Amino acid sequence: MVTPEQLVDRALVLAEACERSELHRRLTLAAERSRTPGVRVLVVGEPKQGKSSLVNALVGVPVCPVADDVATVVPTVVRAGAEPRATLVRADGAEPETVPVETVAAAVTGEAARGLVRAEVELPRRLLEGGLELVDTAGVGGIGIAHSLATLDLLPTADAVVFVSDASQEFTAPEMALLDQAAALCPTVVCVLTKTDVCTDWRTVEEIDRRHLADRGLDAPLFAVSSALALLAVQHRDRSLHTESGIAALVDHLRREVVDRAETLARRSLVHDLASVTGQLALAVRSELAVLEDPAGREELLRGLEAAKAAADDQRRRSSRWQQVLADGVTDLLADIDHDLRDRSRVVVREAEEVIAARDPGSAWPEISAWLDERVAAAVADSFVWAEQRSQWLAEQVVEQFERDGGGTVPALSVGDPDDALADLVDVPAVDDGAMTLRERTLVGLRGSYTGVLMTGLVTSLAGLAIINPISLAAGVLMGRKAYTDDQKQRLQKRRSEARTVVRRHLDEVVFQVGKHLKDRLRTVQRTLRDLITDTADEVSRSLADAVAAAQRSAQVAAADRDARARVLRRRREELDRLAADVARLGGAPVPVP
């Protein structure tokens, strides 16, 4: 059985012999991708659901933070390595800092994580072989909108998502919304029910969760696990306890449905590149050989090749339809993204104003602020998912138009890894809580009562009473109480006005930051598509130009050299035919007839 590495080596030799440096570079990049395919699995969920404990149980080492009073705020990436090793990647572009593995958990929580993009841990584990990467993410909801959106931002880069929820209760509405978003952005979703060792009714919760998944039409398997039992099994090397924990079934599923499938996709991409390069190399060889073997048909062959080259050059130069589809699609999508984001923010503002009008925002601001964070995160997440889907749809439309224009097939599109794009997103500001000290209350009451006592005392003095008398004192009490009540109403109106202003400013900041981020992602899609398709069109044009030049050279070769050149070309054609057949077998396709 011929290995993919051997096929790439053979194709590199032929590309060099044919003096096609751009195809040689393409094969080199394809070989690098094939050697390090990478399988990214995101572990996501709401805070304190057992995500970090699950990652620790899967790798058998407590590398992620687990405590009641701490929460992960930046991702921790765990991948395979020859020796245990950990590095911290910071947002300021400084060199990654190497740290002891046991200190990573403390580095990704609280103030220690300020300015940190992610932590990377390498461990010699069999589970991680084959390029598997486990990413422990910040909880979605409850920590802050920036961390929640940063987690959602990673979803399109993942090969699979492990959604974690503990067994203390069934899936909540926010969790089901997150599951819908994950399924929309990632091809494979796996649900995990954690903490089965401390939740006695976990089987009932598991059955209810399965019904929730079926009702939503989500084809996601559900595994019930105990991370604590799994770590205990590793410590005591107890295989039966490891099986009882449920981790074994989850590991088998990840290997079978995620790692193996990713390897298949990586092989398919490599086969595509090999087949494309082989076909382009064979074009020039067959054209030149055809002229050498049949000089009489040289003129007809040259006319066909020159016509094809002219068509390819014209397609590359002119503003073709795929370019128009891309330009129009990006313009429309930019406007739609801005409108969608602002429309969702307006809905949140109206809801927040209703809440503020119904309650005192001073004393209830922590609760309102938490609600606002969750509501904004949900609205922006929906907008993000919609924008990502529209971007993918646009890419498919552009590639489809390019293929209809005769440009061949463009490989899978990748727009990179957006690590810290939402780091500048601010938290909800605070407002006056309305609390008054005893001194402030006393002064407000005295100001009102003083006026009441003085005015009533002056009136009653006409009847011969002292200024300070029971009637003036009673009036002072009433006036003081009214003054205090009026002051409270004024302060409440001021707090509500301040709260409305804070909400509007916060939503403006969110729309500004997230809108810029979404537009940047769309621009990345646009540039990547443009460069990818342009490079493909240039390759086709170059291949046809080489074929024309080869055919022209063959007509000028002397009779003595013609046979020698024909023998070289026949050997090269045979090598290309064998390579094409081996590539077809590797991809599982029928072997083409030369």
Side-chain angles (χ1 to χ4, degrees):
M1 180 66 182
V2 181
T3 65
E5 292 76 13
Q6 293 173 331
L7 294 180
V8 171
D9 291 340
R10 286 162 55 186
L12 286 171
V13 171
L14 288 169
E16 188 173 356
C18 294
E19 298 180 353
R20 294 296 301 273
S21 58
E22 79 284 1
L23 296 182
H24 191 282
R25 182 174 60 256
R26 177 176 173 181
L27 286 171
T28 302
L29 294 175
E32 291 177 357
R33 290 197 305 268
S34 177
R35 283 193 294 269
T36 56
V39 184
R40 171 169 285 192
V41 177
L42 296 187
V43 182
V44 305
E46 294 189 335
K48 316 312 296 182
Q49 297 297 303
K51 300 185 301 298
S52 299
S53 298
L54 178 62
V55 174
N56 293 342
L58 287 170
V59 299
V61 178
V63 294
C64 299
V66 179
D68 293 335
D69 58 342
V70 299
T72 303
V73 295
V74 295
T76 301
V77 182
V78 186
R79 61 171 66 96
E83 297 292 337
R85 181 173 175 269
T87 55
L88 302 178
V89 180
R90 303 198 175 276
D92 56 9
E95 286 293 323
E97 177 187 358
T98 302
V99 298
V101 174
E102 57 271 15
T103 65
V104 171
V108 297
T109 58
E111 289 297 321
R114 186 179 297 275
L116 197 63
V117 174
R118 66 182 178 276
E120 298 180 350
V121 180
E122 296 181 3
L123 295 172
R125 293 292 184 271
R126 190 163 66 91
L127 171 65
L128 304 177
E129 293 176 357
L132 178 63
E133 290 184 353
L134 296 174
V135 184
D136 179 30
T137 63
V140 178
I143 296 180
I145 183 175
H147 299 303
S148 298
L149 292 179
T151 296
L152 287 172
D153 211 16
L154 292 171
L155 287 176
T157 71
D159 298 287
V161 168
V162 174
F163 179 81
V164 178
S165 178
D166 67 35
S168 62
Q169 63 178 359
E170 61 187 277
F171 288 146
T172 63
E175 285 180 323
M176 293 304 299
L178 176 58
L179 266 172
D180 288 336
Q181 293 163 355
L185 296 178
C186 184
T188 304
V189 177
V190 179
C191 296
V192 176
L193 202 64
T194 59
K195 305 181 183 179
T196 58
D197 54 315
V198 296
C199 300
T200 57
D201 296 332
W202 67 267
R203 289 182 177 84
T204 302
V205 175
E206 180 185 20
E207 184 61 30
I208 295 174
D209 286 346
R210 291 188 188 278
R211 289 201 297 269
H212 284 316
L213 293 173
D215 292 342
R216 286 292 184 98
L218 295 174
D219 185 18
L222 178 63
F223 295 90
V225 305
S226 169
S227 301
L229 286 181
L231 284 172
L232 195 62
V234 172
Q235 294 172 4
H236 295 279
R237 299 183 181 276
D238 190 331
R239 186 175 296 275
S240 62
L241 188 61
H242 189 263
T243 302
E244 183 183 351
S245 70
I247 289 290
L250 175 60
V251 169
D252 290 341
H253 180 84
L254 291 177
R255 285 175 178 161
R256 183 178 64 256
E257 298 297 330
V258 178
V259 177
D260 292 346
R261 182 176 297 179
E263 291 178 353
T264 300
L265 294 176
R267 174 171 294 192
R268 185 181 304 169
S269 177
L270 180 62
V271 168
H272 173 273
D273 287 326
L274 283 169
S276 176
V277 170
T278 303
Q280 294 188 56
L281 292 175
L283 178 62
V285 173
R286 294 182 186 279
S287 300
E288 184 177 359
L289 187 59
V291 174
L292 290 174
E293 292 179 339
D294 183 18
R298 180 178 68 88
E299 294 300 328
E300 183 179 354
L301 176 63
L302 280 175
R303 281 195 300 270
L305 287 173
E306 287 175 347
K309 177 180 178 297
D313 288 341
D314 181 62
Q315 180 194 43
R316 180 167 55 90
R317 286 193 303 267
R318 64 188 171 89
S319 178
S320 60
R321 283 171 290 186
W322 71 263
Q323 292 173 317
Q324 191 63 44
V325 169
L326 178 59
D328 291 345
V330 168
T331 301
D332 294 342
L333 190 49
L334 284 172
D336 290 345
I337 285 174
D338 184 70
H339 177 270
D340 180 77
L341 196 56
R342 292 187 179 277
D343 181 63
R344 295 179 192 274
S345 71
R346 288 163 65 89
V347 172
V348 176
V349 168
R350 287 196 294 268
E351 294 176 353
E353 289 182 344
E354 291 175 1
V355 172
I356 291 170
R359 304 182 62 179
D360 181 357
S363 58
W365 189 249
E367 183 180 347
I368 295 175
S369 178
W371 169 85
L372 182 62
D373 240 352
E374 293 179 1
R375 189 65 186 86
V376 170
V380 175
D382 289 339
S383 184
F384 172 83
V385 172
W386 177 84
E388 185 70 26
Q389 291 175 325
R390 282 290 304 272
S391 298
Q392 293 175 357
W393 175 85
L394 175 60
E396 292 170 359
Q397 294 298 309
V398 173
V399 172
E400 182 180 342
Q401 183 63 55
F402 179 72
E403 293 175 0
R404 284 201 298 267
D405 288 343
T409 303
V410 178
L413 175 68
S414 174
V415 296
D417 186 358
D419 283 320
D420 59 334
L422 295 171
D424 295 331
L425 206 58
V426 298
D427 295 329
V428 182
V431 299
D432 180 15
D433 60 4
M436 296 178 63
T437 64
L438 179 60
R439 177 176 175 273
E440 290 174 329
R441 294 178 182 179
T442 303
L443 289 175
V444 171
L446 286 176
R447 281 198 299 267
S449 62
Y450 172 78
T451 303
V453 170
L454 182 61
M455 291 176 60
T456 307
L458 289 174
V459 172
T460 56
S461 66
L462 298 177
L465 298 177
I467 293 180
I468 305 297
N469 60 69
I471 297 175
S472 66
L473 289 175
V477 171
L478 291 175
M479 293 292 289
R481 182 176 181 181
K482 184 178 185 305
Y484 181 79
T485 303
D486 291 343
D487 182 79
Q488 288 293 89
K489 289 181 180 179
Q490 291 175 2
R491 288 174 180 266
L492 177 59
Q493 293 300 324
K494 181 181 179 182
R495 287 194 297 272
R496 284 175 173 167
S497 177
E498 181 185 0
R500 293 190 189 98
T501 302
V502 167
V503 168
R504 291 180 179 275
R505 287 179 178 174
H506 179 65
L507 265 296
D508 285 342
E509 180 68 19
V510 169
V511 170
F512 175 75
Q513 295 287 353
V514 177
K516 176 66 165 62
H517 173 58
L518 290 176
K519 291 174 183 177
D520 286 345
R521 287 180 63 88
L522 181 58
R523 292 296 187 190
T524 302
V525 172
Q526 179 187 19
R527 295 186 184 98
T528 305
L529 271 173
R530 180 196 62 202
D531 296 343
L532 192 61
I533 295 179
T534 301
D535 289 345
T536 302
D538 287 343
E539 284 183 6
V540 173
S541 179
R542 170 73 188 277
S543 297
L544 290 169
D546 284 356
V548 172
Q552 291 173 339
R553 285 196 306 270
S554 64
Q556 301 172 358
V557 174
D561 298 330
R562 188 170 297 167
D563 291 341
R565 180 61 179 169
R567 286 194 296 271
V568 171
L569 292 176
R570 289 191 191 99
R571 285 196 300 271
R572 191 169 295 171
R573 182 186 62 183
E574 291 171 358
E575 292 175 358
L576 287 168
D577 289 342
R578 286 196 298 270
L579 178 60
D582 289 340
V583 169
R585 292 190 190 95
L586 182 65
V591 179
V593 178

